[in-house]
Amino acid sequence: YIKGTDANADVAVVAVKLKDIPEDTLNTIKKATLGDSDSVTVGEGVIAIGNALGYGQSVTTGIISAKDREVTIEEKTMKLLQTDAAINGGNSGGALLNAKGEVSGINVAKYSSDGSSSASVEGMGFAIPISSVKSIISNLETKETREKVSDDEKGYLGISSKYDVSEEISEAYGMPTGVYIYETISGGPADKAGIQAGDILTEFDGQAISSYDTLKSVMQYYKAGEKVKVKIAYADGREYKEKEVTVTLGTAKDAGVSTSQE
């Protein structure tokens, strides 16, 4: 069950009901200790745990190759730990542990080469430094545990969007990252809350929103009638200013929803 997500940090917090965990698993598992990734040193030994290629839990070892590597993944640029511990498809989201068994990072990506003409790339895996997301995790843990709601119950904002403000667009034009609102439905929930066309939606219920797909994914867990705080950025001259508004989510009918609206 989802508690909260932060698309910009590529982190989510989920909950599992104790009754859904087999007793033999409960008797075996232990809570992981979050370490301090700021204090790791290049050359320090690490262990990566994951589900490489979907074959089941696997463990690889290596060292910290570099700190604060700027890596762009799906149009998001993040500062990551680099490791030569083997990280492959299925390892993403697994723990990168130090020698004490503390979580130093969250495995997220690897570099690879395509084509016979490319130089071979090995030993370049990356992990989100745990210290950079501790406060985000602590905030998401306080959120209400949610389940996906049916289409009949689902809440809507009553907006449409044609593009996202990616990091590249943000840097080029000085706009905040988020969802550019192309149109608000007259009399709909967003319109009533004072959200206008041209605004950029950056946060929904305390969760950072980096794309329209992220917004739609988050809103699967919210019912019509719920009051939700939404952060938007609006143009004030040549600058963007931020404000928070409260939106009462509407039904699909209230929001005038079509296939391109949320």
Side-chain angles (χ1 to χ4, degrees):
Y1 301 94
I2 191 168
K3 291 190 75 69
T5 65
D6 189 308
N8 291 334
D10 201 19
V11 170
V13 173
V14 297
V16 181
K17 293 182 179 180
L18 291 177
K19 67 179 182 64
D20 292 339
I21 304 177
E23 187 176 349
D24 58 343
T25 301
L26 279 174
N27 293 335
T28 305
I29 60 175
K30 292 181 174 60
K31 182 179 178 181
T33 300
L34 301 186
D36 178 9
S37 58
D38 291 337
S39 66
V40 302
T41 58
V42 174
E44 179 179 333
V46 288
I47 302 164
I49 297 178
N51 181 24
L53 305 182
Y55 289 149
Q57 183 171 296
S58 61
V59 178
T60 56
T61 63
I63 62 170
I64 295 292
S65 305
K67 299 173 64 174
D68 297 325
R69 288 290 201 210
E70 285 199 355
V71 180
T72 300
I73 303 171
E74 295 180 353
E75 297 188 344
K76 293 194 295 287
T77 300
M78 299 182 286
K79 286 189 176 182
L80 305 174
L81 296 173
Q82 181 183 329
T83 178
D84 67 349
I87 294 176
N88 292 289
N91 279 115
S92 182
L96 186 71
L97 308 171
N98 62 21
K100 298 178 182 178
E102 300 169 336
V103 179
S104 294
I106 304 170
N107 303 328
V108 65
K110 65 170 289 187
Y111 272 153
S112 61
S113 55
D114 296 319
S116 58
S117 61
S118 300
S120 178
V121 178
E122 297 291 343
M124 292 188 71
F126 298 92
I128 299 169
I130 197 64
S131 296
S132 70
V133 293
K134 274 185 178 179
S135 61
I136 295 172
I137 292 171
S138 296
N139 175 54
L140 296 179
E141 285 177 334
T142 66
K143 300 292 182 183
E144 176 188 347
T145 303
R146 293 179 174 272
E147 301 179 40
K148 286 185 179 180
V149 300
S150 67
D151 289 341
D152 292 338
E153 296 179 301
K154 184 180 172 184
Y156 293 87
L157 284 169
I159 64 171
S160 63
S161 176
K162 291 190 174 181
Y163 66 86
D164 304 323
V165 181
S166 65
E167 287 195 2
E168 288 183 355
I169 294 175
S170 174
E171 291 178 5
Y173 298 102
M175 302 167 70
T177 57
V179 175
Y180 182 87
I181 298 173
Y182 176 73
E183 181 184 20
T184 59
I185 305 305
S186 179
D191 182 42
K192 289 179 179 178
I195 298 175
Q196 301 177 0
D199 291 343
I200 301 170
L201 192 153
T202 60
E203 194 172 292
F204 182 91
D205 194 25
Q207 301 171 72
I209 300 297
S210 62
S211 69
Y212 197 56
D213 286 342
T214 302
L215 177 62
K216 290 194 292 184
S217 177
V218 168
M219 290 193 65
Q220 294 179 87
Y221 299 87
Y222 290 80
K223 295 182 179 180
E226 287 193 66
K227 294 182 183 296
V228 181
K229 291 183 178 180
V230 175
K231 280 188 180 180
I232 60 168
Y234 62 96
D236 183 10
R238 295 187 178 183
E239 297 181 340
Y240 275 88
K241 293 184 178 179
E242 192 175 66
K243 69 177 180 179
E244 185 176 79
V245 298
T246 300
V247 181
T248 302
L249 301 179
T251 63
K253 182 179 179 181
D254 297 333
V257 170
S258 71
T259 55
S260 64
Q261 297 164 348
E262 191 53 62

